PDB file of all heavy atoms in Angstrom:
ATOM      1  N   THR A  25      -0.658   0.361   2.639  1.00 83.00           N
ATOM      2  CA  THR A  25       0.712   0.098   3.088  1.00 83.00           C
ATOM      3  C   THR A  25       1.705   0.856   2.217  1.00 83.00           C
ATOM      4  O   THR A  25       2.656   1.457   2.726  1.00 83.00           O
ATOM      5  CB  THR A  25       1.011  -1.412   3.033  1.00 83.00           C
ATOM      6  OG1 THR A  25       0.043  -2.100   3.832  1.00 83.00           O
ATOM      7  CG2 THR A  25       2.401  -1.722   3.548  1.00 83.00           C
ATOM      8  N   ALA A  28       1.597   4.502   3.036  1.00 78.00           N
ATOM      9  CA  ALA A  28       2.226   4.795   4.330  1.00 78.00           C
ATOM     10  C   ALA A  28       3.741   4.932   4.184  1.00 78.00           C
ATOM     11  O   ALA A  28       4.374   5.677   4.936  1.00 78.00           O
ATOM     12  CB  ALA A  28       1.895   3.714   5.342  1.00 78.00           C
ATOM     13  N   SER A  29       4.318   4.228   3.207  1.00 73.00           N
ATOM     14  CA  SER A  29       5.768   4.283   3.040  1.00 73.00           C
ATOM     15  C   SER A  29       6.209   5.539   2.295  1.00 73.00           C
ATOM     16  O   SER A  29       7.392   5.850   2.264  1.00 73.00           O
ATOM     17  CB  SER A  29       6.263   3.035   2.303  1.00 73.00           C
ATOM     18  OG  SER A  29       5.854   3.066   0.953  1.00 73.00           O
ATOM     19  N   LEU A  30       5.272   6.285   1.697  1.00 76.00           N
ATOM     20  CA  LEU A  30       5.626   7.518   1.003  1.00 76.00           C
ATOM     21  C   LEU A  30       5.870   8.636   2.012  1.00 76.00           C
ATOM     22  O   LEU A  30       5.055   8.857   2.900  1.00 76.00           O
ATOM     23  CB  LEU A  30       4.501   7.957   0.053  1.00 76.00           C
ATOM     24  CG  LEU A  30       4.425   7.261  -1.283  1.00 76.00           C
ATOM     25  CD1 LEU A  30       3.246   7.805  -2.078  1.00 76.00           C
ATOM     26  CD2 LEU A  30       5.693   7.410  -2.071  1.00 76.00           C
ATOM     27  N   ALA A  35       7.245  13.030  10.008  1.00 76.00           N
ATOM     28  CA  ALA A  35       7.840  11.773  10.444  1.00 76.00           C
ATOM     29  C   ALA A  35       6.759  10.725  10.682  1.00 76.00           C
ATOM     30  O   ALA A  35       5.684  11.027  11.182  1.00 76.00           O
ATOM     31  CB  ALA A  35       8.630  11.996  11.728  1.00 76.00           C
ATOM     32  N   SER A  36       7.066   9.504  10.300  1.00 78.00           N
ATOM     33  CA  SER A  36       6.145   8.391  10.497  1.00 78.00           C
ATOM     34  C   SER A  36       6.954   7.104  10.589  1.00 78.00           C
ATOM     35  O   SER A  36       7.869   6.881   9.781  1.00 78.00           O
ATOM     36  CB  SER A  36       5.172   8.315   9.315  1.00 78.00           C
ATOM     37  OG  SER A  36       4.571   7.052   9.257  1.00 78.00           O
ATOM     38  N   ALA A  37       6.622   6.267  11.555  1.00 80.00           N
ATOM     39  CA  ALA A  37       7.328   4.989  11.686  1.00 80.00           C
ATOM     40  C   ALA A  37       7.044   4.099  10.477  1.00 80.00           C
ATOM     41  O   ALA A  37       7.879   3.276  10.087  1.00 80.00           O
ATOM     42  CB  ALA A  37       6.900   4.287  12.973  1.00 80.00           C
ATOM     43  N   ALA A  38       5.885   4.266   9.841  1.00 79.00           N
ATOM     44  CA  ALA A  38       5.499   3.439   8.700  1.00 79.00           C
ATOM     45  C   ALA A  38       6.414   3.649   7.499  1.00 79.00           C
ATOM     46  O   ALA A  38       6.553   2.758   6.662  1.00 79.00           O
ATOM     47  CB  ALA A  38       4.057   3.736   8.300  1.00 79.00           C
ATOM     48  N   MET A  39       7.073   4.802   7.402  1.00 80.00           N
ATOM     49  CA  MET A  39       7.936   5.049   6.256  1.00 80.00           C
ATOM     50  C   MET A  39       9.158   4.135   6.255  1.00 80.00           C
ATOM     51  O   MET A  39       9.795   3.941   5.219  1.00 80.00           O
ATOM     52  CB  MET A  39       8.361   6.521   6.192  1.00 80.00           C
ATOM     53  CG  MET A  39       9.168   6.995   7.366  1.00 80.00           C
ATOM     54  SD  MET A  39       9.280   8.780   7.450  1.00 80.00           S
ATOM     55  CE  MET A  39      10.688   9.061   6.443  1.00 80.00           C
ATOM     56  N   LEU A  40       9.462   3.497   7.396  1.00 83.00           N
ATOM     57  CA  LEU A  40      10.598   2.581   7.470  1.00 83.00           C
ATOM     58  C   LEU A  40      10.201   1.124   7.224  1.00 83.00           C
ATOM     59  O   LEU A  40      11.071   0.257   7.174  1.00 83.00           O
ATOM     60  CB  LEU A  40      11.277   2.700   8.842  1.00 83.00           C
ATOM     61  CG  LEU A  40      11.961   4.035   9.127  1.00 83.00           C
ATOM     62  CD1 LEU A  40      12.452   4.083  10.566  1.00 83.00           C
ATOM     63  CD2 LEU A  40      13.099   4.285   8.165  1.00 83.00           C
ATOM     64  N   GLU A  41       8.907   0.845   7.069  1.00 80.00           N
ATOM     65  CA  GLU A  41       8.452  -0.534   6.887  1.00 80.00           C
ATOM     66  C   GLU A  41       9.103  -1.256   5.708  1.00 80.00           C
ATOM     67  O   GLU A  41       9.444  -2.420   5.819  1.00 80.00           O
ATOM     68  CB  GLU A  41       6.924  -0.595   6.780  1.00 80.00           C
ATOM     69  CG  GLU A  41       6.259  -0.451   8.133  1.00 80.00           C
ATOM     70  CD  GLU A  41       4.739  -0.489   8.046  1.00 80.00           C
ATOM     71  OE1 GLU A  41       4.194  -0.783   6.971  1.00 80.00           O
ATOM     72  OE2 GLU A  41       4.109  -0.211   9.071  1.00 80.00           O
ATOM     73  N   PRO A  42       9.288  -0.602   4.545  1.00 79.00           N
ATOM     74  CA  PRO A  42       9.901  -1.346   3.440  1.00 79.00           C
ATOM     75  C   PRO A  42      11.408  -1.560   3.580  1.00 79.00           C
ATOM     76  O   PRO A  42      11.985  -2.336   2.826  1.00 79.00           O
ATOM     77  CB  PRO A  42       9.601  -0.482   2.210  1.00 79.00           C
ATOM     78  CG  PRO A  42       9.174   0.840   2.701  1.00 79.00           C
ATOM     79  CD  PRO A  42       8.815   0.715   4.136  1.00 79.00           C
ATOM     80  N   VAL A  60      11.289   1.602  16.965  1.00 91.00           N
ATOM     81  CA  VAL A  60      11.121   2.790  16.130  1.00 91.00           C
ATOM     82  C   VAL A  60      10.167   3.747  16.843  1.00 91.00           C
ATOM     83  O   VAL A  60       9.062   3.359  17.217  1.00 91.00           O
ATOM     84  CB  VAL A  60      10.564   2.410  14.740  1.00 91.00           C
ATOM     85  CG1 VAL A  60      10.382   3.653  13.883  1.00 91.00           C
ATOM     86  CG2 VAL A  60      11.471   1.399  14.052  1.00 91.00           C
ATOM     87  N   VAL A  62       8.708   8.075  17.120  1.00 89.00           N
ATOM     88  CA  VAL A  62       8.575   9.380  16.473  1.00 89.00           C
ATOM     89  C   VAL A  62       8.433  10.412  17.593  1.00 89.00           C
ATOM     90  O   VAL A  62       7.327  10.785  17.970  1.00 89.00           O
ATOM     91  CB  VAL A  62       7.349   9.415  15.524  1.00 89.00           C
ATOM     92  CG1 VAL A  62       7.273  10.747  14.796  1.00 89.00           C
ATOM     93  CG2 VAL A  62       7.404   8.264  14.537  1.00 89.00           C
TER      94      VAL A  62
END
Side-chain angles (χ1 to χ4, degrees):
T25 303
S29 70
L30 280 179
S36 162
M39 62 195 272
L40 293 174
E41 283 179 8
V60 180
V62 183

